[in-house]
Amino acid sequence: MNAYQRERDRAATDPAGFWADAAQAITWTRPPRQVLDDARPQFTRWFPDAELNTSANALDRHVDAGRGGDVALIYDSPVTGTVRRFTFAELTDEVARAAGALAALGVGHGDRVIIYLPMIPAAVVSMLACARLGAVHSVVFGGFAAAELAARMDDARAKVVVSASCGIEPTRIVPYKPMLDEAIAQATHAPEATLIVQRDQQRATMVAGRDHDWDEALAAAAPHPPVPVAATDPLYILYTSGTTGRPKGIVRDNGGHAVAMAWSMRNIYDIGPGDVMWAASDVGWAVGHSYTVYAPLLAGATTVLYEGKPVGTPDAGAFWRVVSDHGVNVLFTAPTAIRAIRREDPAGDLVRRYDRASLRALFLAGERLDPPTYEWAVATLGIPVIDNYWQTETGWPIVANPLGLGLLPPRAGSPTVPIPGYDVRVLDPAGEPVPAGTEGAICLRLPLPPGALPTLWEDDERYVASYLSAFDGYYLTGDGGYLDEDGYVFVLGRTDDVINVAGHRLSTGSMEAVLAAHPAVAECAVVGVADPLKGQVPRGFVVVKVGAQIAPETLAAELVAQVRARIGPVAAFGRVDVVPALPKTRSGKILRRTMREIADGRSPAVPPTIEDPAVLDVLLPVLRPS
Ligand SMILES: CCC(=O)SCCNC(=O)CCNC(=O)[C@H](O)C(C)(C)COP(=O)(O)OP(=O)(O)OC[C@H]1O[C@@H](n2cnc3c(N)ncnc32)[C@H](O)[C@@H]1OP(=O)(O)O
């Protein structure tokens, strides 16, 4: 029996003992006596009687252990030409002062703080400052527009927003502050105050009495000590797209999260004190939360915060330059980033230009890892390339090849095996496990392990309806796939209308809501179609109202602009076709899956309940231009 099998079996047969041992990696202000509270099986709570502070575990603990001079955070920003290193002592001091500044604005235990920032140190600092106060942060990715930001402010009822004057994209300055002002104007629960990082590239106009300068506030603040919180208290809310337009507020607790992060660093990513981990994901995504901010610091490792892109800042060698400059041991990114690099540097000339001796493994997640990208990375880098499958909801890998426990033989197309703590089952529509090799719904037998979502923010009902109601006793991932006879997991893709664009999970429903709001649109559908770079991109199809006087190209341009303005550039919504009708079932359900299959060049599954098959014949040349 190998180390993986031993850990997997122990987590399955003795979860309390397994996670009690894992909890030893954390410093508790009140150690757990109870590991698992399963009294309400749909609402498992981990370490229900324990107390800790996550920020103290990520920072102060390492300073107290004499490692204050070790580097905690490297900020590398090719877009500003800056590299800055923070030791654990310096980062602790900065975070304590940021916590003091937030406290001076009235933020305390349980209050919500929205963080809308580019990839600058203030993003990491403000997340950890919230954690220090026992406040709940909610980071919103900068590529979302004002309406999306306002929706999150309202749902979280945020007291304070931390933001910046601008972000810096390779070809333009993105003014964040006007977007924030617009969101505050739209929100029904406007925050009481904001803390704004003024960047020299574009300074922001401040609203007197509401907006406070980040640098000045931190300089004036008294350092705040860590506040012990219940392990079950929320650490953060991270909104993610569901099938409807309304985002889901994924809740992460403090205790289970800290334990899961620490366990995963050692056993999956093989990272410990003194190592350098670089998760090249925006902190607005789950990978950024878990593996750019919390997990490396909890493990006492150095993390890299990169304000740049895989290509264009300045070229496709950027990732290997960062690896070489900072001695990165493990790089974690999304397949789309590797596809972008490969497209510009197919022969790997730029890869070979840099010393990558430190790099032990490349982890990839966020979307399906297509075989050509995997094979290119293996051949070009000559190190293990490890697919890992998880979700914003789980916060850490469900399926991976656990480097720290000893790599298992990889199998093409599989992210390998379920991680200890996750009981992965594939079910048929009746909820029965299917035989090996048979496709079905990928589900997780309850309870979910520590670190996975305990519920949705103030919405237990939606949590149950979204994830737990399809099959009694199981969490529904929303992905389809199969297990092979050796338990390797194969993930085939979403079974609902959620799409994945460049590793960003997006709702087609929210895009359809924007299209439907146009006065000339009678009906619409948005489907995700295959894209060689981004994995998927959304395509819109609209039917105009009888008598609407608008040229199709004008309507299309207006709709593209409106999706960008309402959802943001992250949607990558660039194409709308005006069509005479949409294919539907007799009960009126639009056949989005059939449309997607045609657009992707596959043989479409046309249900016998289709209302008018002739509609598909008319759509064919639009969906699949020859
Ligand atoms: C396992 C759990 C999870 O799945 S967590 C999610 C994991 N996913 C990820 O980490 C995302 C991976 N993807 C990426 O990091 C990016 O897509 C990479 C590969 C770096 C490419 O970035 P980029 O060239 O900006 O393309 P994109 O498609 O992301 O951007 C689309 C438009 O949005 C813009 N944008 C992007 N970031 C920001 C930002 N922080 N602030 C403001 N705007 C932003 C981009 O400029 C781009 O705009 P435009 O359409 O070109 O005008």
Side-chain angles (χ1 to χ4, degrees):
M1 195 184 267
N2 61 35
Y4 161 72
Q5 288 163 336
R6 266 198 313 276
E7 295 291 298
R8 178 199 61 194
D9 292 353
R10 171 134 195 261
T13 54
D14 176 21
F18 181 90
W19 291 111
D21 285 353
Q24 304 285 333
I26 296 304
T27 300
W28 305 86
T29 48
R30 189 165 70 213
R33 276 168 304 166
Q34 188 182 359
V35 174
L36 177 65
D37 173 6
D38 222 359
R40 297 166 67 215
Q42 292 187 317
F43 297 95
T44 302
R45 293 292 181 265
W46 290 94
F47 314 111
D49 57 4
E51 272 187 9
L52 76 162
N53 182 278
T54 297
S55 158
N57 270 279
L59 299 170
D60 310 55
R61 181 164 67 123
H62 307 306
V63 178
D64 296 345
R67 299 192 51 235
D70 292 0
V71 176
L73 173 69
I74 302 169
Y75 165 57
D76 186 307
S77 168
V79 294
T80 59
T82 312
V83 173
R84 191 176 161 198
R85 290 177 175 77
F86 297 75
T87 63
F88 277 100
E90 287 164 344
L91 193 58
T92 304
D93 181 55
E94 186 93 349
V95 167
R97 283 185 299 112
L102 286 168
L105 294 174
V107 175
H109 181 206
D111 289 330
R112 274 80 59 207
V113 174
I114 294 264
I115 298 171
Y116 184 60
L117 281 169
M119 291 287 280
I120 58 177
V124 178
V125 170
S126 52
M127 289 167 78
L128 290 162
C130 290
R132 197 168 191 84
L133 294 171
V136 182
H137 62 70
S138 185
V139 183
V140 180
F141 174 60
F144 281 118
E148 294 289 325
L149 180 56
R152 287 156 176 77
M153 278 178 195
D154 283 343
D155 194 71
R157 285 175 290 109
K159 197 166 196 173
V160 168
V161 177
V162 184
S163 189
S165 54
C166 67
I168 303 161
E169 288 293 291
T171 56
R172 67 187 195 284
I173 302 288
V174 181
Y176 273 46
K177 180 60 168 36
M179 206 92 81
L180 172 63
D181 291 339
E182 200 184 320
I184 291 176
Q186 287 177 20
T188 42
H189 286 280
E192 293 164 17
T194 75
L195 263 181
I196 305 294
V197 180
Q198 287 281 20
R199 305 189 80 188
D200 291 338
Q201 290 78 6
Q202 187 175 96
R203 295 185 73 79
T205 308
M206 305 287 264
V207 175
R210 187 197 72 186
D211 297 339
H212 304 265
D213 182 283
W214 168 270
D215 288 335
E216 290 170 12
L218 263 66
H224 204 293
V227 175
V229 300
T232 51
D233 280 348
L235 169 69
Y236 67 78
I237 307 166
L238 179 54
Y239 287 91
T240 190
S241 299
T243 48
T244 67
R246 198 161 63 91
K248 295 192 278 199
I250 307 302
V251 173
R252 195 82 60 218
D253 69 10
N254 273 274
H257 171 255
V259 172
M261 290 296 99
W263 190 90
S264 71
M265 284 312 272
R266 178 52 73 203
N267 295 288
I268 301 177
Y269 299 100
D270 196 20
I271 287 283
D275 287 334
V276 181
M277 167 105 180
W278 176 26
S281 166
D282 193 283
V283 290
W285 306 112
V287 172
H289 277 62
S290 295
Y291 294 107
T292 308
V293 181
Y294 284 109
L297 296 176
L298 285 164
T302 304
T303 186
V304 178
L305 184 75
Y306 174 69
E307 190 183 25
K309 305 283 175 181
V311 298
T313 57
D315 58 29
F319 272 28
W320 323 121
R321 193 271 301 161
V322 173
V323 165
S324 165
D325 284 359
H326 307 307
V328 171
N329 301 120
V330 162
L331 169 60
F332 187 167
T333 188
T336 187
I338 301 299
R339 284 196 295 270
I341 291 170
R342 178 183 168 214
R343 194 165 74 166
E344 298 213 355
D345 183 25
D349 296 332
L350 292 169
V351 181
R352 284 186 292 277
R353 187 179 292 175
Y354 296 95
D355 175 3
R356 291 168 287 105
S358 62
L359 194 61
R360 299 196 289 253
L362 168 67
F363 281 85
L364 296 169
E367 55 174 325
R368 183 178 162 267
L369 175 56
D370 52 292
T373 302
Y374 171 76
E375 280 150 22
W376 182 86
V378 169
T380 312
L381 297 173
I383 54 171
V385 175
I386 302 173
D387 189 5
N388 52 132
Y389 162 69
W390 48 292
Q391 303 186 314
T392 303
E393 286 84 346
T394 63
W396 64 291
I398 301 169
V399 180
N401 201 342
L403 183 62
L405 291 173
L407 282 182
L408 303 172
R411 287 191 187 169
S414 169
T416 316
V417 288
I419 287 300
Y422 288 101
D423 185 353
V424 178
R425 308 282 178 98
V426 177
L427 305 182
D428 69 14
E432 294 301 322
V434 298
T438 306
E439 283 178 37
I442 298 180
C443 296
L444 308 176
R445 184 113 184 93
L446 298 180
L448 297 178
L453 81 172
T455 189
L456 295 177
W457 176 247
E458 292 188 334
D459 205 345
D460 286 351
E461 213 174 295
R462 191 176 181 203
Y463 169 61
V464 172
S466 303
Y467 301 107
L468 308 184
S469 60
F471 304 114
D472 194 26
Y474 292 92
Y475 166 94
L476 181 74
T477 62
D479 288 305
Y482 64 92
L483 291 162
D484 74 8
E485 49 296 331
D486 297 317
Y488 278 58
V489 181
F490 291 76
V491 184
L492 299 174
R494 295 294 299 186
T495 54
D496 55 20
D497 292 325
V498 169
I499 60 172
N500 192 312
V501 180
H504 311 313
R505 193 164 121 184
L506 298 167
S507 149
T508 53
S510 63
M511 295 182 218
E512 288 181 1
V514 176
L515 304 191
H518 193 287
V521 170
E523 281 188 310
C524 63
V526 174
V527 297
V529 300
D531 181 82
L533 183 63
K534 291 178 187 274
Q536 271 188 313
V537 288
R539 267 185 73 181
F541 301 89
V542 296
V543 178
V544 294
K545 283 181 182 159
V546 176
Q549 298 294 319
I550 186 164
E553 55 280 11
T554 309
L555 177 60
E558 285 180 13
L559 293 172
V560 166
Q562 279 170 18
V563 171
R564 192 175 172 94
R566 297 270 295 279
I567 296 174
V570 64
F573 185 79
R575 178 161 177 193
V576 188
D577 288 288
V578 177
V579 294
L582 294 170
K584 289 184 198 164
T585 62
R586 283 192 286 276
S587 61
K589 191 172 176 299
I590 296 171
L591 296 172
R592 293 181 181 79
R593 182 170 166 196
T594 309
M595 292 170 73
R596 192 174 65 223
E597 286 169 346
I598 295 173
D600 287 350
R602 287 180 281 154
S603 311
V606 183
T609 52
I610 187 166
E611 186 186 36
D612 180 3
V615 171
L616 274 184
D617 298 336
V618 177
L619 267 185
L620 208 67
V622 182
L623 282 164
R624 196 191 292 167
S626 50

